[in-house]
Amino acid sequence: MMYWFIALFDEQTEAQVKAIWQELKEQSLSYYIDEVKDGRPHITLASYEELDKEEYIRKIDAFYEEVEKVELTFNTISSFLNYGTIFLTPTVTENLLSLHSAHHHHFERFNGSANPLYLPGKWIPHCTLANDLSSEELAKVYQYCFDHSDTIYGRIEEVALIERIDESEEGMEAPIIYSKRLR
């Protein structure tokens, strides 16, 4: 099993990212919109290979009771080296870093099965626009996004735990198994 702990956006920000996904599909540049059944735009805060879901959910409920929404500005399009992924990068603010580091501090006991790329000091916050692209596709998607995207202002309003259930020719299924709205 795989689990991701994600930050979800306000309705308008989510709609703006989904519109980019749809445009990329309509331009036959990327089909990321179809890769995860009912996928929602997000920033991954943590990823785990194994997890005691019940304990984790109890800790989410308690810890995030008083956590406030985090303002975001997406004004950068970027890519990971050798991954064929294009994403929006939020401006890294003190509030965003604080949310991430406080999460990992409070959930430290789960870090034994955590993906180290999402730990403090290694984490690159991002919202994926397209994935699994060749070099040529990467260049086309980047150019399209560069020419057709504007700065997105929004906020993180909710956090959620998702679990990868199945991956087939139709895509991956990774439903939300628990979510918590922020104050």
Side-chain angles (χ1 to χ4, degrees), residues 5 46 48 56 63-64 98-107:
F5 187 69
Y48 306 94
Y56 200 85
F63 179 73
Y64 283 93
S98 178
L99 173 72
H100 181 256
S101 63
H103 173 84
H104 281 278
H105 177 73
H106 189 75
F107 291 77

Side-chain angles (χ1 to χ4, degrees), residues 51-180:
L51 197 61
D52 178 338
K53 292 186 289 191
E54 289 76 24
E55 181 182 354
Y56 200 85
I57 289 169
R58 281 193 303 274
K59 288 182 82 69
I60 291 169
D61 204 40
F63 179 73
Y64 283 93
E65 189 66 31
E66 298 300 319
V67 174
E68 295 186 7
K69 297 172 183 173
V70 176
E71 297 294 322
L72 294 173
T73 302
F74 290 103
N75 59 2
T76 305
I77 299 168
S78 195
S79 178
F80 290 123
L81 297 174
N82 304 313
Y83 279 95
T85 302
I86 294 278
F87 51 85
L88 293 170
T89 304
T91 300
V92 180
T93 63
E94 187 175 321
N95 287 342
L96 181 59
L97 285 177
S98 178
L99 173 72
H100 181 256
S101 63
H103 173 84
H104 281 278
H105 177 73
H106 189 75
F107 291 77
E108 188 171 22
R109 91 159 214 73
F110 298 96
N111 284 349
S113 71
N115 180 331
L117 293 176
Y118 293 97
L119 295 175
K122 297 181 181 179
W123 180 59
I124 299 172
H126 65 281
C127 177
T128 302
L129 297 177
N131 207 359
D132 297 323
L133 303 170
S134 68
S135 297
E136 293 85 20
E137 293 167 330
L138 192 75
K140 288 177 185 175
V141 170
Y142 181 85
Q143 189 64 53
Y144 184 86
C145 290
F146 184 80
D147 291 341
H148 296 91
S149 298
D150 290 319
T151 298
I152 298 174
Y153 300 95
R155 71 193 155 277
I156 295 170
E157 290 195 344
E158 184 178 1
V159 291
L161 180 63
I162 59 176
E163 175 181 21
R164 181 170 137 188
I165 293 182
D166 189 20
E167 192 164 356
S168 65
E169 288 182 19
E170 290 84 42
M172 183 190 331
E173 191 171 344
I176 292 175
I177 57 175
Y178 185 77
S179 71
K180 179 84 173 179

